[in-house]
mmCIF file of all heavy atoms in Angstrom:
data_model
loop_
_atom_site.group_PDB
_atom_site.id
_atom_site.type_symbol
_atom_site.label_atom_id
_atom_site.label_comp_id
_atom_site.label_asym_id
_atom_site.label_seq_id
_atom_site.Cartn_x
_atom_site.Cartn_y
_atom_site.Cartn_z
ATOM 1 N N ASP A 715 53.299 -119.698 37.649
ATOM 2 C CA ASP A 715 52.115 -119.116 36.994
ATOM 3 C C ASP A 715 51.512 -118.001 37.837
ATOM 4 O O ASP A 715 51.082 -116.966 37.314
ATOM 5 C CB ASP A 715 51.055 -120.199 36.723
ATOM 6 C CG ASP A 715 51.507 -121.136 35.623
ATOM 7 O OD1 ASP A 715 52.435 -120.764 34.870
ATOM 8 O OD2 ASP A 715 50.960 -122.249 35.524
ATOM 9 N N GLU A 723 49.013 -108.003 37.307
ATOM 10 C CA GLU A 723 47.815 -107.534 38.041
ATOM 11 C C GLU A 723 47.875 -106.023 38.259
ATOM 12 O O GLU A 723 48.894 -105.484 38.693
ATOM 13 C CB GLU A 723 47.759 -108.249 39.409
ATOM 14 C CG GLU A 723 46.576 -107.859 40.251
ATOM 15 C CD GLU A 723 45.256 -108.241 39.588
ATOM 16 O OE1 GLU A 723 45.014 -109.419 39.359
ATOM 17 O OE2 GLU A 723 44.466 -107.306 39.276
ATOM 18 N N PRO A 726 43.718 -102.389 42.102
ATOM 19 C CA PRO A 726 44.235 -101.945 43.400
ATOM 20 C C PRO A 726 43.769 -102.806 44.569
ATOM 21 O O PRO A 726 44.538 -103.050 45.504
ATOM 22 C CB PRO A 726 43.708 -100.509 43.543
ATOM 23 C CG PRO A 726 43.303 -100.095 42.170
ATOM 24 C CD PRO A 726 42.978 -101.332 41.406
ATOM 25 N N LEU A 732 47.841 -108.605 47.937
ATOM 26 C CA LEU A 732 49.238 -109.063 47.777
ATOM 27 C C LEU A 732 50.132 -108.392 48.818
ATOM 28 O O LEU A 732 50.957 -109.037 49.463
ATOM 29 C CB LEU A 732 49.736 -108.754 46.364
ATOM 30 C CG LEU A 732 51.206 -109.072 46.088
ATOM 31 C CD1 LEU A 732 51.474 -110.580 46.163
ATOM 32 C CD2 LEU A 732 51.651 -108.540 44.711
ATOM 33 N N LEU A 753 76.162 -98.292 54.068
ATOM 34 C CA LEU A 753 76.716 -98.527 52.724
ATOM 35 C C LEU A 753 77.866 -97.560 52.452
ATOM 36 O O LEU A 753 77.679 -96.341 52.464
ATOM 37 C CB LEU A 753 75.607 -98.319 51.682
ATOM 38 C CG LEU A 753 76.020 -98.413 50.217
ATOM 39 C CD1 LEU A 753 76.511 -99.822 49.876
ATOM 40 C CD2 LEU A 753 74.858 -98.035 49.305
ATOM 41 N N ALA A 771 83.583 -98.612 32.486
ATOM 42 C CA ALA A 771 84.896 -98.077 32.110
ATOM 43 C C ALA A 771 84.801 -97.075 30.963
ATOM 44 O O ALA A 771 85.574 -96.126 30.884
ATOM 45 C CB ALA A 771 85.820 -99.226 31.729
ATOM 46 N N TYR A 779 87.370 -91.946 41.939
ATOM 47 C CA TYR A 779 87.980 -91.846 43.266
ATOM 48 C C TYR A 779 88.175 -93.243 43.858
ATOM 49 O O TYR A 779 87.508 -94.197 43.440
ATOM 50 C CB TYR A 779 87.111 -91.004 44.225
ATOM 51 C CG TYR A 779 85.857 -91.726 44.669
ATOM 52 C CD1 TYR A 779 85.848 -92.535 45.810
ATOM 53 C CD2 TYR A 779 84.670 -91.629 43.937
ATOM 54 C CE1 TYR A 779 84.705 -93.210 46.207
ATOM 55 C CE2 TYR A 779 83.534 -92.307 44.337
ATOM 56 C CZ TYR A 779 83.552 -93.099 45.475
ATOM 57 O OH TYR A 779 82.430 -93.782 45.862
ATOM 58 N N VAL A 790 83.786 -96.504 58.916
ATOM 59 C CA VAL A 790 83.342 -97.716 59.619
ATOM 60 C C VAL A 790 83.014 -97.377 61.079
ATOM 61 O O VAL A 790 81.990 -97.813 61.617
ATOM 62 C CB VAL A 790 84.445 -98.808 59.538
ATOM 63 C CG1 VAL A 790 84.172 -99.946 60.518
ATOM 64 C CG2 VAL A 790 84.545 -99.338 58.105
ATOM 65 N N GLU A 807 84.259 -103.038 39.699
ATOM 66 C CA GLU A 807 85.259 -104.116 39.626
ATOM 67 C C GLU A 807 86.621 -103.441 39.426
ATOM 68 O O GLU A 807 87.030 -103.145 38.304
ATOM 69 C CB GLU A 807 84.906 -105.078 38.495
ATOM 70 C CG GLU A 807 85.655 -106.400 38.619
ATOM 71 C CD GLU A 807 85.134 -107.432 37.650
ATOM 72 O OE1 GLU A 807 83.907 -107.591 37.537
ATOM 73 O OE2 GLU A 807 85.965 -108.072 36.972
ATOM 74 N N GLU A 812 93.596 -104.051 45.686
ATOM 75 C CA GLU A 812 94.295 -105.345 45.653
ATOM 76 C C GLU A 812 93.692 -106.272 46.705
ATOM 77 O O GLU A 812 93.248 -105.833 47.767
ATOM 78 C CB GLU A 812 95.778 -105.141 45.913
ATOM 79 C CG GLU A 812 96.444 -104.444 44.740
ATOM 80 C CD GLU A 812 97.898 -104.127 44.975
ATOM 81 O OE1 GLU A 812 98.405 -104.437 46.073
ATOM 82 O OE2 GLU A 812 98.503 -103.550 44.064
ATOM 83 N N GLU A 837 82.833 -109.052 40.004
ATOM 84 C CA GLU A 837 83.154 -110.434 39.630
ATOM 85 C C GLU A 837 84.632 -110.737 39.857
ATOM 86 O O GLU A 837 85.377 -110.991 38.900
ATOM 87 C CB GLU A 837 82.790 -110.679 38.170
ATOM 88 C CG GLU A 837 81.329 -110.426 37.845
ATOM 89 C CD GLU A 837 81.031 -110.564 36.360
ATOM 90 O OE1 GLU A 837 81.692 -111.367 35.669
ATOM 91 O OE2 GLU A 837 80.144 -109.836 35.874
ATOM 92 N N ASP A 842 90.561 -114.095 45.274
ATOM 93 C CA ASP A 842 90.226 -112.921 46.097
ATOM 94 C C ASP A 842 89.010 -113.204 46.988
ATOM 95 O O ASP A 842 88.994 -112.835 48.161
ATOM 96 C CB ASP A 842 89.917 -111.703 45.213
ATOM 97 C CG ASP A 842 91.164 -111.134 44.550
ATOM 98 O OD1 ASP A 842 92.280 -111.407 45.047
ATOM 99 O OD2 ASP A 842 91.021 -110.425 43.533
ATOM 100 N N ASP A 852 81.807 -111.500 56.041
ATOM 101 C CA ASP A 852 80.648 -112.343 56.338
ATOM 102 C C ASP A 852 79.771 -112.586 55.125
ATOM 103 O O ASP A 852 79.190 -113.656 54.980
ATOM 104 C CB ASP A 852 79.786 -111.659 57.415
ATOM 105 C CG ASP A 852 80.573 -111.385 58.677
ATOM 106 O OD1 ASP A 852 80.683 -112.294 59.510
ATOM 107 O OD2 ASP A 852 81.117 -110.254 58.817
ATOM 108 N N TYR A 866 70.971 -111.124 29.153
ATOM 109 C CA TYR A 866 72.156 -111.067 30.015
ATOM 110 C C TYR A 866 73.411 -110.596 29.267
ATOM 111 O O TYR A 866 74.083 -109.656 29.711
ATOM 112 C CB TYR A 866 72.388 -112.431 30.694
ATOM 113 C CG TYR A 866 73.531 -112.405 31.679
ATOM 114 C CD1 TYR A 866 73.324 -112.047 33.009
ATOM 115 C CD2 TYR A 866 74.842 -112.697 31.280
ATOM 116 C CE1 TYR A 866 74.378 -111.981 33.916
ATOM 117 C CE2 TYR A 866 75.887 -112.636 32.175
ATOM 118 C CZ TYR A 866 75.645 -112.282 33.489
ATOM 119 O OH TYR A 866 76.699 -112.211 34.367
ATOM 120 N N ILE A 883 78.794 -117.389 39.659
ATOM 121 C CA ILE A 883 79.627 -116.819 40.735
ATOM 122 C C ILE A 883 78.826 -116.783 42.044
ATOM 123 O O ILE A 883 79.368 -117.047 43.124
ATOM 124 C CB ILE A 883 80.141 -115.407 40.362
ATOM 125 C CG1 ILE A 883 80.924 -115.455 39.052
ATOM 126 C CG2 ILE A 883 81.026 -114.846 41.475
ATOM 127 C CD1 ILE A 883 81.362 -114.092 38.532
ATOM 128 N N MET A 938 72.454 -98.239 27.231
ATOM 129 C CA MET A 938 71.028 -98.438 27.516
ATOM 130 C C MET A 938 70.310 -97.121 27.725
ATOM 131 O O MET A 938 69.176 -96.942 27.302
ATOM 132 C CB MET A 938 70.852 -99.332 28.755
ATOM 133 C CG MET A 938 70.476 -100.745 28.377
ATOM 134 S SD MET A 938 70.647 -101.886 29.746
ATOM 135 C CE MET A 938 69.223 -101.505 30.729
ATOM 136 N N LYS A 944 66.406 -102.540 22.483
ATOM 137 C CA LYS A 944 65.025 -102.399 22.007
ATOM 138 C C LYS A 944 64.020 -102.857 23.047
ATOM 139 O O LYS A 944 64.196 -103.905 23.660
ATOM 140 C CB LYS A 944 64.835 -103.248 20.743
ATOM 141 C CG LYS A 944 64.700 -102.405 19.500
ATOM 142 C CD LYS A 944 64.536 -103.269 18.292
ATOM 143 C CE LYS A 944 63.061 -103.466 18.014
ATOM 144 N NZ LYS A 944 62.793 -104.233 16.828
ATOM 145 N N LYS A 945 62.975 -102.057 23.238
ATOM 146 C CA LYS A 945 61.888 -102.473 24.123
ATOM 147 C C LYS A 945 61.009 -103.496 23.412
ATOM 148 O O LYS A 945 60.945 -103.523 22.178
ATOM 149 C CB LYS A 945 61.020 -101.271 24.490
ATOM 150 C CG LYS A 945 61.640 -100.370 25.524
ATOM 151 C CD LYS A 945 60.597 -99.390 26.006
ATOM 152 C CE LYS A 945 61.146 -98.546 27.123
ATOM 153 N NZ LYS A 945 60.179 -97.603 27.639
ATOM 154 N N GLU A 950 54.027 -106.590 26.382
ATOM 155 C CA GLU A 950 54.996 -107.599 26.827
ATOM 156 C C GLU A 950 56.108 -107.013 27.686
ATOM 157 O O GLU A 950 56.727 -107.709 28.489
ATOM 158 C CB GLU A 950 55.646 -108.285 25.604
ATOM 159 C CG GLU A 950 54.689 -109.111 24.784
ATOM 160 C CD GLU A 950 53.975 -110.147 25.644
ATOM 161 O OE1 GLU A 950 54.650 -110.809 26.456
ATOM 162 O OE2 GLU A 950 52.745 -110.256 25.526
ATOM 163 N N ASN A 954 59.450 -100.082 34.104
ATOM 164 C CA ASN A 954 60.440 -99.865 35.184
ATOM 165 C C ASN A 954 59.850 -98.930 36.246
ATOM 166 O O ASN A 954 60.442 -97.915 36.591
ATOM 167 C CB ASN A 954 61.749 -99.299 34.620
ATOM 168 C CG ASN A 954 61.575 -98.001 33.867
ATOM 169 O OD1 ASN A 954 60.484 -97.686 33.399
ATOM 170 N ND2 ASN A 954 62.648 -97.247 33.727
ATOM 171 N N LEU A 965 56.486 -110.345 45.953
ATOM 172 C CA LEU A 965 56.582 -111.726 45.461
ATOM 173 C C LEU A 965 57.878 -112.382 45.947
ATOM 174 O O LEU A 965 57.898 -113.567 46.279
ATOM 175 C CB LEU A 965 56.502 -111.736 43.927
ATOM 176 C CG LEU A 965 55.131 -111.304 43.376
ATOM 177 C CD1 LEU A 965 55.215 -111.027 41.876
ATOM 178 C CD2 LEU A 965 54.075 -112.378 43.670
ATOM 179 N N ALA A 982 64.283 -95.412 46.823
ATOM 180 C CA ALA A 982 64.329 -94.058 47.406
ATOM 181 C C ALA A 982 64.531 -93.011 46.320
ATOM 182 O O ALA A 982 64.228 -91.829 46.519
ATOM 183 C CB ALA A 982 65.466 -93.979 48.419
ATOM 184 N N ASN A 985 60.902 -92.647 44.520
ATOM 185 C CA ASN A 985 59.937 -91.987 45.425
ATOM 186 C C ASN A 985 60.701 -91.587 46.695
ATOM 187 O O ASN A 985 60.881 -92.398 47.611
ATOM 188 C CB ASN A 985 58.766 -92.918 45.762
ATOM 189 C CG ASN A 985 57.728 -92.203 46.627
ATOM 190 O OD1 ASN A 985 58.012 -91.199 47.272
ATOM 191 N ND2 ASN A 985 56.526 -92.739 46.639
ATOM 192 N N GLN A 1009 81.889 -85.867 49.747
ATOM 193 C CA GLN A 1009 82.667 -85.454 48.563
ATOM 194 C C GLN A 1009 82.731 -86.552 47.494
ATOM 195 O O GLN A 1009 83.059 -86.275 46.348
ATOM 196 C CB GLN A 1009 84.079 -84.992 48.961
ATOM 197 C CG GLN A 1009 85.012 -86.052 49.504
ATOM 198 C CD GLN A 1009 84.912 -86.203 51.022
ATOM 199 O OE1 GLN A 1009 83.865 -85.987 51.603
ATOM 200 N NE2 GLN A 1009 86.011 -86.585 51.653
ATOM 201 N N GLU A 1024 69.056 -91.572 54.892
ATOM 202 C CA GLU A 1024 69.813 -90.785 55.862
ATOM 203 C C GLU A 1024 71.145 -91.432 56.205
ATOM 204 O O GLU A 1024 71.213 -92.599 56.515
ATOM 205 C CB GLU A 1024 69.030 -90.626 57.174
ATOM 206 C CG GLU A 1024 67.967 -89.583 57.108
ATOM 207 C CD GLU A 1024 66.644 -90.155 56.633
ATOM 208 O OE1 GLU A 1024 66.655 -91.247 56.057
ATOM 209 O OE2 GLU A 1024 65.635 -89.488 56.839
ATOM 210 N N LEU A 1045 60.669 -95.332 60.943
ATOM 211 C CA LEU A 1045 60.445 -96.770 61.173
ATOM 212 C C LEU A 1045 59.387 -96.958 62.254
ATOM 213 O O LEU A 1045 58.480 -97.793 62.123
ATOM 214 C CB LEU A 1045 61.763 -97.452 61.589
ATOM 215 C CG LEU A 1045 62.880 -97.415 60.539
ATOM 216 C CD1 LEU A 1045 64.134 -98.111 61.058
ATOM 217 C CD2 LEU A 1045 62.427 -98.084 59.240
ATOM 218 N N GLN A 1056 73.875 -108.109 64.130
ATOM 219 C CA GLN A 1056 74.304 -108.097 62.730
ATOM 220 C C GLN A 1056 73.162 -108.359 61.749
ATOM 221 O O GLN A 1056 73.294 -108.107 60.567
ATOM 222 C CB GLN A 1056 75.408 -109.118 62.535
ATOM 223 C CG GLN A 1056 76.665 -108.817 63.360
ATOM 224 C CD GLN A 1056 77.791 -109.786 63.080
ATOM 225 O OE1 GLN A 1056 77.577 -110.873 62.513
ATOM 226 N NE2 GLN A 1056 78.991 -109.420 63.466
#
Side-chain angles (χ1 to χ4, degrees):
D715 289 342
E723 180 63 62
L732 175 66
L753 175 64
Y779 73 89
V790 167
E807 196 170 314
E812 290 176 359
E837 302 175 31
D842 288 340
D852 302 276
Y866 185 88
I883 303 175
M938 257 166 76
K944 251 179 93 177
K945 283 191 175 181
E950 294 305 315
N954 58 338
L965 293 167
N985 184 340
Q1009 67 270 31
E1024 281 89 342
L1045 297 180
Q1056 298 184 343

